[in-house]
Amino acid sequence: MSWGGGAAVHAAAATPGLPRGRGPGLDRGSCPLVCLRLSCCGHKAEPHTVVPAPLMAQDRGMGPVSSPLTTHVLDTASGLPAQGLGLRLSRLEDHGQQWTELRTSYTDHDGRCPGLLPAGQMKAGTYKLSFDTAGYWKQRGQESFYPYVEVVFTIGNETHKFHVPLLLSPWSYTTYRGS
C-alpha cells in the first residue's frame, strides 16, 4: 500500500471558491495550499504538514459541506486530535469482488475529515476506511506496530448518518459506530 509523501505532506488545493492561497478568513500569501501553519511559506520553511481545508458549500461558500459519513481520529498517546493522518474511503463493488476508491484525504487540525462522502453519493453496501498510521507515526518520530488500520463497515440505510471514530496509539487502536 503506497501512501506517498515524505516529511512534508502537501495535499489538495486551496478551498474551492476562494482565491489561491486563502483559507476561510486567513490570508496565506502566495501558497496554493491551505497550511496548518499560520505563516505559510511558499514551500521554503522546514518540513510541515499541509492538509486540505474543509470543503465549502458551493452555493454560498458558508460552512463545511454536510456529509452522511464522518470520521474523527484521536491520538490517545498525546491526548490530541490526529492531525494530518492520511486516509482512503472505498466501497466494495462487483458483488463483493472489488474495492473502488471513493476518496483520498487527510484529517484536519481537529482530527476530522469533513465532506468525506458528499450527500447523495452514499448507497447501501460495504465500505472501508483505510488509515495510514505508519506515515502518521513516522512523521512524529514514533515507532508503531500497525502500519495501517482498515475499518470495514456496512451501511444498510443510506438515509442515516454514520460516524466512524478511531482512537489511535502506536501500539493499539479502537473503533466503534459513533453518533
Side-chain angles (χ1 to χ4, degrees), residues 8-173:
V9 178
H10 285 98
T15 305
L18 295 175
R20 289 173 65 84
R22 293 180 190 256
L26 298 173
D27 185 354
R28 306 294 177 139
S30 62
C31 182
L33 302 170
V34 178
C35 293
L36 295 174
R37 302 179 75 175
L38 289 178
S39 58
C40 187
C41 58
H43 312 293
K44 295 179 185 171
E46 68 273 10
H48 62 283
T49 300
V50 180
V51 297
L55 296 173
M56 302 303 286
Q58 295 298 319
D59 56 342
R60 292 193 222 149
M62 309 273 295
V65 170
S66 176
S67 176
L69 176 63
T70 57
T71 188
H72 188 200
V73 185
L74 297 174
D75 176 340
T76 60
S78 69
L80 298 171
Q83 170 181 307
L85 175 69
L87 62 96
R88 291 182 179 156
L89 173 65
S90 303
R91 182 173 45 230
L92 194 58
E93 305 284 353
D94 297 328
H95 306 289
Q97 301 298 313
Q98 178 80 24
W99 287 104
T100 300
E101 187 173 290
L102 303 175
R103 174 131 191 246
T104 299
S105 192
Y106 294 85
T107 55
D108 66 11
H109 70 282
D110 196 34
R112 298 177 188 275
C113 187
L116 189 57
L117 187 63
Q121 287 190 5
M122 185 159 61
K123 58 184 180 181
T126 302
Y127 290 77
K128 175 172 62 173
L129 274 170
S130 301
F131 298 90
D132 177 22
T133 54
Y136 175 80
W137 293 116
K138 183 177 181 181
Q139 191 174 48
R140 283 149 185 77
Q142 172 70 52
E143 182 183 348
S144 67
F145 184 67
Y146 297 101
Y148 58 92
V149 170
E150 291 186 337
V151 180
V152 178
F153 54 97
T154 302
I155 292 177
N157 186 336
E158 61 270 6
T159 63
H160 292 167
K161 291 191 179 264
F162 297 86
H163 183 62
V164 184
L166 179 65
L167 305 177
L168 184 63
S169 88
W171 316 113
S172 67
Y173 65 90

